[in-house]
Amino acid sequence: MNFPKGYRCCGFNCGIKKESADLAIVVSDVPATAAAVYTTNLFQAAPLQVTKAHLDAGHTAQAIVINSGVANAAMGKQGLNDAEAVAKALAAHFDIAESSTIVASTGVIGMPLPVDKITAGIAGADAHLKPLAENADATAQAIMTTDTVSKQAAASVVIGGKTVHFWGMCKGAGMIHPNMSTMLGFVLSDAAIDAELLQQALSAAIGDSFNMISVDGDTSTNDMVTVLANGLAENPVIVDDGSQAFADFQAALKDICIQLAKKIVSDGEGATKLFEVQVANAPSTNDAKIIARAVTSSSLVKAAMYGRDANWGRIACAAGYSGAAFKPETMDIFIGDIQVAKDGQGLAFDEEAALALLSEHDILVKIDLHDGDGAAVAWGCDLTHDYVSINADYRS
């Protein structure tokens, strides 16, 4: 894996959790252009509010601190004061402006943030900080909650004769139904790019990645995706949204966001399967997205995936109630390469072959509407008994 230049990071235990890592810090050697997209949940957690104020003020950042275990959400004025105290400690330790800090939290909602433990962790961070290439794993592990594995991805692209690198990490396994978004994601790049174009690229990438996944239909309070670009790749600064350089940057950012989004769904709480829904020939791209998301978030479809049941009627039903405009009488449905419905009606098909496909970890569902040129892809996971078990005793 090739890593972007100029980043140091660490992940370690600061005492929030009993044993596992619970504090992650990322620092850029130089100020970086920054952009972010935030959850649409009205109960936005304090760290989001503080981060948004910082990035709105300058569109730059140089340090990120993320704690896991406690969300610092629904804590009123105390929550804001605590998030600001963490930002102040981070800024003071690295001798940067407070507005150049990004703060994030994940964990249990409604519990006070252990500020003293976090600020003490920040004060001792130098003993843990290493170049990104050496400490990426530890950093990604420190932001986990109910995740069973850490999640990282990388991408690269040549821009203006210079190789630009991207690395990203995210966390998320439950409360996943982004609108944007429902997890934490952090992407680092050494590209040189205008701040407005960085935000434009991120917003577009989110629409085809994190906003197209669903685990359980819950949109959380804390979650955001941020991207930093520190310019150390020394490519000519990307300033034209009509340029090939911007198109290449945008494609690479989208690629890494899709990689990370799929890792979240694959690690959905209790999940045993990842299924991809491709919608083709819809009246519009928006209609295709609405249908794809409806199918991936349907509890009945998700349960059928777990049970290895080729119940195409549940797929058709979810498309029908999605709110998208299409003609049911022209809809074809495939599971893998097996056609199970044509023109809105079921077909005889090889049930044993379908069972074999549904026994795989990765499952493909294709819906062809024959009603336009809109297309979209969404990802979901199956709904299992373990999902209920995990969430029935989450606080304990």
Side-chain angles (χ1 to χ4, degrees), residues 38 82 92-93 219 313 330 348-349:
Y38 311 92
D82 289 346
H93 183 77
T219 299
T330 63
F349 59 90

Side-chain angles (χ1 to χ4, degrees), residues 20-33:
S20 58
D22 52 25
L23 189 67
I25 295 173
V26 177
V27 184
S28 174
D29 292 344
V30 296
T33 302

Side-chain angles (χ1 to χ4, degrees), residues 259-274:
Q259 289 185 60
L260 292 171
K262 291 174 68 175
K263 288 177 184 291
I264 287 176
V265 180
S266 187
D267 191 35
E269 289 175 344
T272 65
K273 295 179 173 66
L274 167 71

Side-chain angles (χ1 to χ4, degrees), residues 6 20 41 58 93 100 143 178 218 265 271 280 319 360:
S20 58
N41 193 311
H93 183 77
S100 291
I143 67 174
D218 276 305
V265 180
E360 300 291 332

Side-chain angles (χ1 to χ4, degrees), residues 27-307:
V27 184
S28 174
D29 292 344
V30 296
T33 302
V37 184
Y38 311 92
T39 181
T40 58
N41 193 311
L42 294 180
F43 251 118
Q44 285 199 352
L48 270 71
Q49 297 179 55
V50 170
T51 293
K52 188 175 188 302
H54 290 178
L55 296 190
D56 285 351
H59 305 291
T60 60
Q62 197 166 351
I64 304 171
V65 60
I66 312 115
N67 75 271
S68 59
V70 177
N72 192 15
M75 292 301 299
K77 184 63 176 175
Q78 178 186 345
L80 285 171
N81 290 341
D82 289 346
E84 289 169 351
V86 170
K88 282 181 169 56
L90 188 67
H93 183 77
F94 291 105
D95 193 24
I96 59 176
E98 187 177 339
S99 60
S100 291
T101 63
I102 290 172
V103 291
S105 300
T106 182
V108 179
I109 295 170
M111 290 180 60
L113 193 70
V115 175
D116 290 347
K117 293 179 179 180
I118 295 172
T119 54
I122 292 171
D126 291 346
H128 303 277
L129 280 172
K130 294 180 181 178
L132 177 59
E134 299 177 34
N135 244 7
D137 291 343
T139 307
Q141 289 170 13
I143 67 174
M144 293 166 54
T145 50
T146 59
D147 308 65
T148 64
V149 293
S150 63
K151 302 169 179 68
Q152 304 174 55
S156 62
V157 63
V158 176
I159 297 176
K162 301 290 186 178
T163 301
V164 171
H165 296 293
F166 297 78
W167 174 84
M169 66 175 179
C170 64
K171 62 80 50 183
M175 297 187 80
I176 303 293
H177 188 68
N179 190 21
M180 175 55 218
S181 79
T182 313
M183 56 336 115
L184 294 177
F186 306 91
V187 178
L188 309 177
S189 177
D190 49 16
I193 184 171
D194 170 77
E196 184 176 334
L197 294 191
L198 182 62
Q199 183 66 58
Q200 183 178 326
L202 177 61
S203 297
I206 293 300
D208 291 326
S209 58
F210 294 110
N211 272 3
M212 297 302 290
I213 60 174
S214 184
V215 169
D216 51 19
D218 276 305
T219 299
S220 186
T221 57
N222 280 58
D223 303 322
M224 62 181 176
V225 172
T226 64
V227 57
L228 271 59
N230 65 15
L232 293 181
E234 298 182 340
N235 61 286
V237 181
I238 302 170
V239 295
D240 180 4
D241 63 1
S243 66
Q244 186 61 48
F246 180 68
D248 291 342
F249 177 91
Q250 193 168 35
L253 182 58
K254 177 180 173 180
D255 173 55
I256 197 169
C257 286
I258 288 176
Q259 289 185 60
L260 292 171
K262 291 174 68 175
K263 288 177 184 291
I264 287 176
V265 180
S266 187
D267 191 35
E269 289 175 344
T272 65
K273 295 179 173 66
L274 167 71
F275 69 98
E276 178 176 304
V277 176
Q278 299 177 358
V279 178
N281 301 311
S284 70
T285 297
N286 188 54
D287 286 318
K289 285 188 173 185
I290 290 171
I291 292 168
R293 291 195 64 183
V295 174
T296 56
S297 60
S298 164
S299 294
L300 289 177
V301 173
K302 291 158 67 66
M305 292 295 168
Y306 176 59

